[in-house]
Amino acid sequence: MSKLSRRSFLKLTGRAFAILGLGAIAGPVIAYFYPSELEEFPSEPVSIGPVEGLPLWKAKTVPFGRYPAMVINTPEGLKAYSAVCTHFACVPNWDEELQQIVCPCHDGYFEPINGEVISGPPPAPLYTLTVEVIDGEIFVGGA
Ligand code: FES
Protein backbone atom coordinates (compact mmCIF):
# COMPACT_ATOMS: atom_id res chain seq x y z
CA MET A 1 0.00 0.00 0.00
CA SER A 2 1.47 3.29 -1.03
CA LYS A 3 1.59 6.24 1.27
CA LEU A 4 0.37 9.59 0.09
CA SER A 5 3.21 12.07 0.26
CA ARG A 6 2.68 15.46 1.79
CA ARG A 7 3.26 17.07 -1.63
CA SER A 8 0.66 14.80 -3.31
CA PHE A 9 -1.84 15.47 -0.55
CA LEU A 10 -1.42 19.24 -0.98
CA LYS A 11 -1.80 18.93 -4.77
CA LEU A 12 -4.99 16.90 -4.39
CA THR A 13 -6.40 19.31 -1.83
CA GLY A 14 -5.54 22.27 -4.05
CA ARG A 15 -7.28 20.68 -7.04
CA ALA A 16 -10.37 19.88 -4.96
CA PHE A 17 -10.62 23.50 -3.81
CA ALA A 18 -10.06 24.74 -7.38
CA ILE A 19 -12.96 22.58 -8.63
CA LEU A 20 -15.20 23.78 -5.80
CA GLY A 21 -14.23 27.39 -6.53
CA LEU A 22 -15.01 27.00 -10.24
CA GLY A 23 -18.41 25.54 -9.38
CA ALA A 24 -19.15 28.39 -6.99
CA ILE A 25 -18.33 30.93 -9.71
CA ALA A 26 -19.87 29.08 -12.67
CA GLY A 27 -23.29 28.51 -11.01
CA PRO A 28 -24.25 32.18 -10.64
CA VAL A 29 -22.78 33.06 -14.07
CA ILE A 30 -24.87 30.35 -15.76
CA ALA A 31 -27.97 31.42 -13.80
CA TYR A 32 -27.40 35.03 -14.94
CA PHE A 33 -27.31 34.14 -18.63
CA TYR A 34 -30.06 31.55 -18.40
CA PRO A 35 -32.66 33.06 -16.05
CA SER A 36 -34.99 30.78 -14.20
CA GLU A 37 -37.67 29.10 -16.28
CA LEU A 38 -41.14 29.10 -14.83
CA GLU A 39 -43.00 25.98 -15.83
CA GLU A 40 -45.12 24.72 -13.04
CA PHE A 41 -48.13 26.99 -12.82
CA PRO A 42 -51.51 25.63 -11.80
CA SER A 43 -53.69 24.74 -14.79
CA GLU A 44 -56.80 26.10 -13.06
CA PRO A 45 -57.30 29.72 -11.96
CA VAL A 46 -56.50 30.32 -8.29
CA SER A 47 -58.79 32.48 -6.15
CA ILE A 48 -57.06 35.09 -4.07
CA GLY A 49 -60.16 36.46 -2.39
CA PRO A 50 -62.72 39.23 -2.83
CA VAL A 51 -61.83 42.23 -4.96
CA GLU A 52 -62.79 44.64 -2.16
CA GLY A 53 -60.01 43.07 -0.08
CA LEU A 54 -57.42 44.61 -2.43
CA PRO A 55 -57.72 48.42 -2.41
CA LEU A 56 -55.95 50.66 -4.94
CA TRP A 57 -52.10 50.43 -4.77
CA LYS A 58 -52.25 47.44 -2.47
CA ALA A 59 -50.73 44.09 -3.41
CA LYS A 60 -51.13 40.53 -2.31
CA THR A 61 -48.61 37.72 -2.66
CA VAL A 62 -50.21 34.31 -2.69
CA PRO A 63 -49.14 30.69 -3.25
CA PHE A 64 -49.50 29.85 -6.93
CA GLY A 65 -48.49 26.28 -7.60
CA ARG A 66 -44.79 25.89 -7.11
CA TYR A 67 -44.19 29.64 -7.18
CA PRO A 68 -45.81 32.63 -5.49
CA ALA A 69 -47.86 35.14 -7.48
CA MET A 70 -48.31 38.85 -6.79
CA VAL A 71 -51.50 40.72 -7.60
CA ILE A 72 -51.47 44.51 -7.52
CA ASN A 73 -54.45 46.82 -7.77
CA THR A 74 -53.27 49.70 -9.98
CA PRO A 75 -55.16 52.63 -11.52
CA GLU A 76 -54.94 50.62 -14.78
CA GLY A 77 -56.64 47.64 -13.19
CA LEU A 78 -55.49 44.46 -11.50
CA LYS A 79 -52.05 43.22 -12.54
CA ALA A 80 -50.63 39.81 -11.72
CA TYR A 81 -47.08 38.49 -11.96
CA SER A 82 -45.17 35.46 -10.97
CA ALA A 83 -43.42 36.66 -7.82
CA VAL A 84 -40.10 35.18 -8.85
CA CYS A 85 -37.30 37.55 -9.77
CA THR A 86 -35.85 36.92 -13.22
CA HIS A 87 -32.35 37.44 -11.84
CA PHE A 88 -31.69 34.71 -9.27
CA ALA A 89 -35.29 33.73 -8.48
CA CYS A 90 -35.72 35.62 -5.20
CA VAL A 91 -39.26 36.56 -4.19
CA PRO A 92 -39.79 40.29 -4.73
CA ASN A 93 -41.95 42.45 -2.45
CA TRP A 94 -44.44 45.19 -3.11
CA ASP A 95 -43.17 48.60 -1.92
CA GLU A 96 -46.32 50.61 -1.41
CA GLU A 97 -44.45 53.86 -0.82
CA LEU A 98 -42.40 53.58 -4.04
CA GLN A 99 -45.29 51.90 -5.87
CA GLN A 100 -42.80 49.46 -7.33
CA ILE A 101 -42.02 45.78 -7.03
CA VAL A 102 -38.67 45.45 -5.29
CA CYS A 103 -36.40 42.45 -5.20
CA PRO A 104 -34.44 42.57 -1.93
CA CYS A 105 -31.68 40.24 -3.07
CA HIS A 106 -29.79 42.59 -5.42
CA ASP A 107 -31.94 45.74 -5.53
CA GLY A 108 -33.98 44.89 -8.59
CA TYR A 109 -36.94 47.20 -9.26
CA PHE A 110 -39.94 46.36 -11.45
CA GLU A 111 -42.75 48.44 -12.88
CA PRO A 112 -46.17 47.48 -11.40
CA ILE A 113 -48.16 48.20 -14.59
CA ASN A 114 -46.26 45.88 -16.95
CA GLY A 115 -43.62 44.09 -14.84
CA GLU A 116 -40.75 45.70 -16.79
CA VAL A 117 -37.37 46.16 -15.12
CA ILE A 118 -36.84 49.72 -13.86
CA SER A 119 -33.33 49.20 -12.53
CA GLY A 120 -30.99 46.61 -11.12
CA PRO A 121 -29.62 43.36 -12.46
CA PRO A 122 -32.79 41.43 -13.49
CA PRO A 123 -32.36 40.56 -17.18
CA ALA A 124 -36.09 40.34 -18.00
CA PRO A 125 -39.50 41.57 -16.84
CA LEU A 126 -41.55 39.61 -14.33
CA TYR A 127 -43.65 36.89 -15.89
CA THR A 128 -47.18 38.24 -16.40
CA LEU A 129 -50.12 36.12 -15.27
CA THR A 130 -53.74 36.50 -16.29
CA VAL A 131 -56.05 38.00 -13.69
CA GLU A 132 -59.81 38.45 -13.74
CA VAL A 133 -62.67 39.19 -11.40
CA ILE A 134 -65.57 36.73 -11.41
CA ASP A 135 -68.55 37.49 -9.18
CA GLY A 136 -66.47 39.85 -7.08
CA GLU A 137 -63.64 37.35 -6.57
CA ILE A 138 -60.12 37.72 -7.98
CA PHE A 139 -58.73 34.77 -9.92
CA VAL A 140 -55.14 34.47 -11.11
CA GLY A 141 -53.79 32.29 -13.87
CA GLY A 142 -55.23 29.29 -15.56
CA ALA A 143 -54.39 27.76 -18.91
S1 FES B 1 -32.54 37.95 -7.43
FE1 FES B 1 -33.74 39.71 -7.74
S2 FES B 1 -32.32 41.24 -8.14
FE2 FES B 1 -31.11 39.48 -7.93
Side-chain angles (χ1 to χ4, degrees):
M1 186 166 141
S2 68
K3 272 180 108 177
L4 190 63
S5 71
R6 181 181 172 158
R7 176 173 283 195
S8 297
F9 174 76
L10 289 175
K11 268 187 183 174
L12 279 175
T13 306
R15 285 183 184 151
F17 278 112
I19 289 168
L20 287 173
L22 279 176
I25 292 169
V29 169
I30 290 168
Y32 180 82
F33 289 108
Y34 300 97
S36 39
E37 293 291 326
L38 304 173
E39 298 164 352
E40 295 181 34
F41 293 138
S43 58
E44 299 294 319
V46 172
S47 169
I48 68 150
V51 71
E52 64 267 9
L54 194 61
L56 188 64
W57 287 124
K58 295 284 184 188
K60 212 173 194 181
T61 300
V62 295
F64 187 67
R66 188 173 164 199
Y67 304 99
M70 180 184 292
V71 180
I72 308 164
N73 190 355
T74 77
E76 295 187 30
L78 295 171
K79 304 292 178 179
Y81 304 101
S82 173
V84 177
C85 183
T86 55
H87 186 218
F88 284 151
C90 287
V91 176
N93 303 309
W94 172 241
D95 188 317
E96 196 176 323
E97 202 170 297
L98 285 176
Q99 295 181 345
Q100 293 176 359
I101 302 161
V102 180
C103 181
C105 292
H106 309 100
D107 278 341
Y109 291 82
F110 298 92
E111 175 65 46
I113 303 298
N114 54 23
E116 292 289 332
V117 178
I118 296 169
S119 65
L126 292 174
Y127 188 87
T128 302
L129 300 169
T130 58
V131 59
E132 63 182 332
V133 177
I134 301 171
D135 294 331
E137 199 171 345
I138 302 170
F139 288 90
V140 176

